[in-house]
Amino acid sequence: MEGLTLSDAEQKYYSDLFSYCDSESTKKVAAHGRVLELFRAAQLPNDVVHQIMELCGATRLGYFGRSQFYIALKLVAVAQSGFPLRVESINTVKDLPLPRFVASKNEQESRHAASYSSDSENQGSYSGVIPPPPGRGQVKKGSTSHDTGQPRTSADQQEPVSPVVSPQQSPPTSPHTWRKHSRHPSGGNSERPLAGPGPFWSPFGEAQSGSSAGDAVWSGHSPPPPQENWVSFADTPPTSTLLTMHPASVQDQTTVRTVASATTANEIRRQSSSYDDPWKITDEQRQYYVNQFKTIQPDLNGFIPGSAAKEFFTKSKLPILELSHIWELSDFDKDGALTLDEFCAAFHLVVARKNGYDLPEKLPESLMPKLIDLEDSADVGDQPGEVGYSGSPAEAPPSKSPSMPSLNQTWPELNQSSEDTAIVHPVPIRMTPSKIHMQEMELKRTGSDHTNPTSPLLVKTADLSEENKINSSVKFASGNTVADGYSSSDSFTSDPEQIGNNVARQRSHSGMSPDNTAPPPPPPRPQPSHSRSSSLDMNRTFSVTTGQQQAGVVAQPPAVPPRPQPSQAAGPVVHRPVDADGLITHTSTSPQQIPEQPNFADFSQFEVFAASNVNEEQDDEAEKHPEVLPVEKASDPASSLRVAKTDSKIEEKTAASAPANVSKGTTPLAPPPKPVRRRLKSEDELRPEVDEHTQKTGVLAAVLASQPSIPRSVGKDKKAIQASIRRNKETNTVLARLNSELQQQLKDVLEERISLEVQLEQLRPFSHL
Amino acid sequence: MGWILVTSATVILFLQNYPLYIRSVPTENELKFHYMVHTSLDVVDEKISAMGKALVDQRELYLGLLYPTEDYKVYGYVTNSKVKFVMVVDSSNTALRDNEIRSMFRKLHNSYTDVMCNPFYNPGDRIQSRAFDGMVTSMMIQVC
């Protein structure tokens, strides 16, 4: 149509509006649709609108070309300014303010109105804040909506009148989206909600070249524009940040304006409520931040070191002090590195700051990095995303996911640590270690005794059922074993070396095992009460138990075990090996041992006999001796006693030689008690030996008894010698047999020991828990 | 060697014997506090050198009451990086126990490390961290 001269501001504004209306980018705008809305937003009477349309030629063409559109806009401005609509007025009217479009339902429009009604001061100040960002924003923005936003903003700001401000304020207050924020100068409330999406909208505002009506622009933008704005934020971050900061600045301005507005109370309320909203990061923003994060740190779950972040944010040209403060706010875990969420929060804060927002003293909740997956809020701490940074508006959802895991990984570390600590606190109760320990203790002690291995084993099974009981029972058993060990230890000195070795080995073995777990109890000592230092109860019980046994067991070592009477010895001896409880056997044999002392003496006599050749008078004794000797040899300490007693015994026996059979019967039986006694001393291992001994002695006794008295003549001497030789041979045989049996017993014991050691090894790992 | 002086009073954080951070509650007589702090620096150095042979850990520990003056008590604390924290408290604050002083120094130290973690903070600069200020303020309010 007629030459249309537009000022730069108008040009930009119109182009933006055209872009906005030209949603299809067809360079022509349908008469219906947005244009109509736009014109209606101009708040012009319909007839005026029609007139405009006719004038610009849209009706003629049926659509709005760019020129038509521009003309129409110009006419709108003219009409709004109150000038008559004339074609000529397009160019004649100078200094025409940009057409004002107030959207009844459109946020932008409301914003426009708001900004329109904003004080000039505010506008001025606002423009002062906005200009820099818009410049950048504009460059990037290619979205039509963006353009529309811009012209509107400028138009709004330039428009002196904003009659529609008030009514439109209410709708925009919905804080659900920034875009819907409508800034109403009079109603700061609405503007504040706008502030939320402010950052989002700020690009729009900024994109509008020089348009100071940032408020209106922001508010007026519908959702599409924001996204487009995001796209245009590809340029340097600092610029985009300003865009996002727009809402903040607008907010500030609105707050200023609200002072003059009537709804002061609402303002304050909304201000506080919307204050957090501005810090909310939109999806597009977040995506942008995420992309920026990727440029520094490809791994979204990784960290950005402080130095890199410093360089990055220094580009925003914010003062170091403010950057430092932003860092303090955003580095939530104070680790000197930024996770994705922390980075987004920092970015957002930078953008906000660049747009004029004041940095909060504390990190807004929406910017808080997601410590755990608890927060489902979309963009925590995304606000300060620097719009300037290139960001693709798409992929809003995915952007959240990387941030969340990153935060979840970083921050949850603390949680994990706390969890770990929480887990650590409950002290696990170990069943096995104590049991193992007790078992080990028992193993030690039982090593030398047949009964001991069995008793602890039995105890073990019982213990497994209940830990406490186990401890007590085990200790009890161990105590018993200790007691046995003691008794055996005492007798060890006199025991055969083999047995002693076994016991010693076992003892040493047992000495090692308890060391693994709790404070290693001292190796079996003569004092059974020392089984476990840590457990007084056990010691008590132990002492109790041991006390019971000590009576029988301990009594044995100190007192010279009396030789079990032959009659008695044979019987009990036979039964003893059957007994699993050596203690009982011990106790049972103790009374027998007392009377066995004379038998003991017989052994010594026997030894003496063996040493001093056979005396006829001592044949019986000799008979006994060979039987007893093998048994007695182990009991060296008793040998002296035996010797001492031997004399008396010999006399006794000699006196009793008359009843040779009897004596022989008795004396042969004497050895059996001795073996029995020894067995008591040396634990179960000796019992079988004793049993054997008793058996052998019985045999010997029988043999001896069967032997008729040896003639004393020379022939008798010869016979005696031969008899003695024979007897010696028999004794040797018996001894050899006994030896073999003892060897067998030794092997058995060793096998038991090995098995117990294996068990110990298996249980040992648990002891270290 | 930074200095932090906290008094009931004043907080001064010094690095290499020049102040990194100064904060006082009673604004009057501040100069006096500063003077006391500077004099106590000598005491701190003395203690440090005395413990020089000791483990470095000892350095981190709370230095304790440096010296009591007529009205005030001066407490010191040194970190491994030779940052000194000096706290001057009013003697009238008898309620302040040693443990409290220790905890305060610990908090100061933690806040200082947070400040150091900030990449935008150049060691040697005056500490302008708001978080640090907030922490110190809360501490001083508690003390007063």
Side-chain angles (χ1 to χ4, degrees):
Chain A
M1 296 184 66
E2 297 79 25
L4 186 61
T5 58
L6 297 173
S7 63
D8 291 342
E10 288 179 347
Q11 180 71 24
K12 287 182 184 175
Y13 186 56
Y14 291 172
S15 62
D16 286 345
L17 283 173
F18 187 80
S19 307
Y20 175 71
C21 292
D22 190 4
S23 53
E24 293 84 14
S25 300
T26 58
K27 298 303 175 204
K28 58 182 180 182
V29 179
H32 308 285
R34 291 193 177 171
V35 175
L36 277 181
E37 290 178 2
L38 193 66
F39 289 160
R40 290 204 195 90
Q43 296 176 339
L44 296 173
N46 283 342
D47 53 348
V48 174
V49 173
H50 287 308
Q51 191 176 2
I52 291 172
M53 289 175 66
E54 289 178 5
L55 284 174
C56 67
T59 47
R60 177 164 48 84
L61 295 176
Y63 62 90
F64 281 97
R66 185 173 283 273
S67 59
Q68 283 81 28
F69 189 76
Y70 288 174
I71 293 169
L73 291 175
K74 189 80 175 180
L75 287 174
V76 167
V78 168
Q80 288 176 341
S81 304
F83 294 100
L85 285 178
R86 303 267 171 76
V87 176
E88 304 79 22
S89 61
I90 293 175
N91 292 329
T92 55
V93 179
K94 303 298 180 185
D95 297 333
L96 193 66
L98 291 175
R100 224 175 2 100
F101 297 95
V102 180
S104 58
K105 58 180 179 179
N106 197 342
E107 298 170 353
Q108 288 182 347
E109 295 169 346
S110 59
R111 283 192 209 156
H112 290 310
S115 63
Y116 184 82
S117 62
S118 65
D119 301 337
S120 59
E121 299 174 355
N122 293 336
Q123 291 177 353
S125 61
Y126 184 79
S127 58
V129 175
I130 298 177
R136 287 172 291 203
Q138 281 179 354
V139 175
K140 306 166 191 177
K141 291 185 185 169
S143 62
T144 57
S145 61
H146 196 63
D147 296 337
T148 56
Q150 290 174 354
R152 283 182 196 165
T153 307
S154 57
D156 291 342
Q157 287 188 350
Q158 294 175 8
E159 292 287 348
V161 180
S162 62
V164 193
V165 174
S166 50
Q168 295 175 353
Q169 290 178 0
S170 48
T173 54
S174 61
H176 58 284
T177 58
W178 286 12
R179 307 157 193 165
K180 294 179 188 171
H181 284 344
S182 58
R183 301 233 178 134
H184 302 291
S186 60
N189 310 334
S190 60
E191 289 178 353
R192 281 196 214 99
L194 289 178
F200 200 81
W201 290 104
S202 62
F204 284 131
E206 295 179 3
Q208 297 171 5
S209 59
S211 63
S212 58
D215 297 343
V217 176
W218 291 6
S219 58
H221 290 317
S222 57
Q227 293 177 355
E228 296 168 346
N229 291 340
W230 275 113
V231 177
S232 61
F233 291 167
D235 287 353
T236 61
T239 61
S240 58
T241 57
L242 289 179
L243 294 176
T244 55
M245 292 307 301
H246 239 25
S249 58
V250 174
Q251 243 188 1
D252 297 339
Q253 293 177 356
T254 57
T255 52
V256 174
R257 280 171 287 196
T258 55
V259 172
S261 67
T263 57
T264 307
N266 291 337
E267 266 182 6
I268 296 172
R269 199 178 48 241
R270 288 178 190 175
Q271 188 174 13
S272 58
S273 64
S274 61
Y275 187 67
D276 289 335
D277 290 339
W279 300 112
K280 208 168 174 64
I281 302 180
T282 64
D283 294 344
E284 294 79 6
Q285 286 177 326
R286 181 152 188 95
Q287 187 54 39
Y288 183 76
Y289 303 152
V290 171
N291 291 342
Q292 287 297 311
F293 183 90
K294 284 180 188 167
T295 62
I296 306 174
Q297 166 68 278
D299 179 15
L300 288 176
N301 294 330
F303 292 87
I304 287 186
S307 54
K310 178 180 179 179
E311 293 175 12
F312 185 78
F313 289 111
T314 307
K315 285 191 283 186
S316 67
K317 300 187 183 55
L318 282 179
I320 295 294
L321 180 61
E322 294 187 8
L323 289 174
S324 172
H325 186 66
I326 288 174
W327 175 276
E328 279 185 356
L329 290 175
S330 56
D331 189 4
F332 204 74
D333 47 6
K334 297 281 185 285
D335 59 355
L338 295 181
T339 64
L340 182 61
D341 275 353
E342 289 176 346
F343 175 83
C344 292
F347 210 136
H348 206 65
L349 285 171
V350 171
V351 171
R353 189 76 187 112
K354 292 197 86 61
N355 288 335
Y357 277 101
D358 287 333
L359 292 178
E361 288 300 321
K362 284 172 34 174
L363 193 66
E365 289 187 4
S366 54
L367 291 181
M368 290 274 189
K370 294 170 193 173
L371 304 188
I372 317 178
D373 288 329
L374 299 180
E375 296 180 9
D376 293 335
S377 62
D379 306 311
V380 175
D382 282 345
Q383 287 183 347
E386 301 196 24
V387 177
Y389 299 175
S390 58
S392 57
E395 303 179 359
S399 65
K400 298 178 192 178
S401 52
S403 66
M404 286 189 64
S406 65
L407 281 180
N408 296 333
Q409 290 178 2
T410 57
W411 192 257
E413 291 170 354
L414 302 181
N415 298 326
Q416 290 169 2
S417 63
S418 65
E419 291 171 354
D420 291 338
T421 55
I423 292 174
V424 169
H425 290 318
V427 177
I429 298 178
R430 295 179 200 162
M431 299 284 292
T432 45
S434 61
K435 284 187 267 184
I436 294 172
H437 187 79
M438 294 308 305
Q439 290 167 0
E440 291 172 353
M441 297 288 294
E442 294 175 353
L443 287 178
K444 279 196 218 170
R445 303 203 179 117
T446 59
S448 56
D449 287 347
H450 286 305
T451 58
N452 288 338
T454 55
S455 58
L457 288 176
L458 295 177
V459 176
K460 284 178 194 175
T461 54
D463 293 346
L464 290 173
S465 59
E466 295 177 4
E467 183 179 3
N468 294 333
K469 288 185 181 178
I470 291 169
N471 292 333
S472 59
S473 59
V474 168
K475 290 179 180 175
F476 184 91
S478 64
N480 296 340
T481 58
V482 170
D484 295 341
Y486 280 121
S487 61
S488 62
S489 63
D490 289 345
S491 59
F492 278 170
T493 54
S494 59
D495 285 342
E497 293 180 354
Q498 294 174 349
I499 298 171
N501 291 338
N502 292 339
V503 176
R505 277 193 293 266
Q506 289 165 353
R507 226 189 290 166
S508 62
H509 175 73
S510 61
M512 296 187 306
S513 52
D515 294 343
N516 298 332
T517 57
R525 286 181 193 169
Q527 302 171 5
S529 61
H530 287 337
S531 64
R532 282 265 182 111
S533 60
S534 59
S535 169
L536 298 176
D537 294 336
M538 293 322 305
N539 289 336
R540 255 181 267 126
T541 53
F542 196 36
S543 61
V544 171
T545 58
T546 53
Q548 297 171 1
Q549 299 163 3
Q550 284 172 359
V553 176
V554 176
Q556 297 170 5
V560 174
R563 282 187 195 171
Q565 292 178 355
S567 59
Q568 298 174 355
V573 167
V574 173
H575 294 292
R576 274 173 204 155
V578 180
D579 290 345
D581 184 2
L583 295 176
I584 298 175
T585 308
H586 289 307
T587 54
S588 62
T589 53
S590 58
Q592 295 173 355
Q593 287 180 352
I594 297 171
E596 289 174 359
Q597 288 177 355
N599 298 333
F600 188 80
D602 293 341
F603 278 101
S604 61
Q605 292 175 356
F606 185 79
E607 289 176 350
V608 171
F609 165 78
S612 62
N613 295 331
V614 179
N615 290 333
E616 293 182 355
E617 294 181 355
Q618 297 175 349
D619 287 349
D620 296 342
E621 297 169 350
E623 294 173 358
K624 303 172 198 172
H625 289 316
E627 300 170 354
V628 180
L629 188 58
V631 179
E632 273 211 28
K633 282 178 182 175
S635 60
D636 295 332
S639 62
S640 60
L641 282 174
R642 293 171 192 159
V643 173
K645 292 182 182 177
T646 305
D647 297 339
S648 58
K649 294 281 171 84
I650 290 174
E651 294 175 359
E652 294 174 357
K653 288 179 182 176
T654 52
S657 63
N661 296 336
V662 177
S663 64
K664 286 181 184 176
T666 55
T667 49
L669 293 176
K674 265 194 181 177
V676 173
R677 172 175 53 79
R678 186 195 307 177
R679 196 218 239 146
L680 291 173
K681 289 181 187 177
S682 61
E683 299 172 355
D684 296 343
E685 291 179 351
L686 297 177
R687 281 182 213 151
E689 301 169 355
V690 175
D691 293 339
E692 294 175 349
H693 272 297
T694 55
Q695 292 170 1
K696 292 173 186 172
T697 52
V699 173
L700 288 174
V703 172
L704 293 172
S706 62
Q707 289 179 356
S709 59
I710 300 169
R712 306 281 175 107
S713 62
V714 175
K716 289 182 182 178
D717 292 342
K718 237 191 213 176
K719 291 180 185 174
I721 292 171
Q722 290 175 353
S724 65
I725 291 171
R726 196 167 51 246
R727 265 183 257 121
N728 288 336
K729 285 183 185 172
E730 288 171 345
T731 308
N732 290 339
T733 316
V734 169
L735 289 174
R737 214 185 315 160
L738 181 62
N739 182 25
S740 63
E741 289 180 359
L742 287 173
Q743 291 284 350
Q744 188 62 37
Q745 285 182 9
L746 172 61
K747 288 178 189 173
D748 294 340
V749 169
L750 286 176
E751 284 178 356
E752 285 182 5
R753 181 191 167 209
I754 290 169
S755 68
L756 288 171
E757 281 183 348
V758 168
Q759 287 181 5
L760 176 65
E761 285 298 329
Q762 289 174 356
L763 294 171
R764 184 169 294 171
F766 296 95
S767 66
H768 291 290
L769 287 176
Chain B
M1 318 249 266
W3 263 82
I4 285 188
L5 167 66
V6 183
T7 64
S8 73
T10 309
V11 180
I12 295 188
L13 173 68
F14 277 85
L15 180 67
Q16 288 172 355
N17 293 338
Y18 68 84
L20 281 184
Y21 183 84
I22 300 177
R23 186 81 167 278
S24 306
V25 161
T27 50
E28 67 277 359
N29 291 340
E30 225 175 303
L31 207 56
K32 179 177 153 189
F33 291 137
H34 295 185
Y35 171 73
M36 290 170 62
V37 167
H38 279 88
T39 55
S40 59
L41 276 176
D42 292 334
V43 183
V44 173
D45 286 337
E46 197 181 310
K47 286 190 185 277
I48 291 177
S49 60
M51 298 194 300
K53 301 167 211 164
L55 298 174
V56 179
D57 288 344
Q58 300 298 329
R59 299 263 187 105
E60 274 180 318
L61 291 184
Y62 165 62
L63 292 177
L65 184 60
L66 297 179
Y67 66 90
T69 55
E70 66 279 5
D71 292 328
Y72 304 96
K73 298 182 223 169
V74 182
Y75 296 93
Y77 184 93
V78 180
T79 68
N80 275 336
S81 54
K82 302 290 196 305
V83 176
K84 300 176 192 147
F85 296 65
V86 176
M87 185 187 307
V88 175
V89 294
D90 201 353
S91 290
S92 58
N93 285 341
T94 54
L96 269 184
R97 292 171 296 131
D98 196 61
N99 285 339
E100 292 174 4
I101 304 285
R102 284 180 190 268
S103 67
M104 287 166 73
F105 274 129
R106 209 171 301 121
K107 281 194 287 185
L108 276 171
H109 196 175
N110 290 334
S111 300
Y112 177 70
T113 53
D114 289 342
V115 168
M116 295 298 286
C117 283
N118 191 332
F120 297 101
Y121 172 77
N122 299 318
D125 294 347
R126 281 284 181 122
I127 293 178
Q128 287 154 323
S129 155
R130 295 189 210 176
F132 191 83
D133 289 341
M135 187 278 303
V136 172
T137 307
S138 65
M139 260 176 47
M140 288 166 59
I141 289 173
Q142 171 193 358
V143 170
C144 298

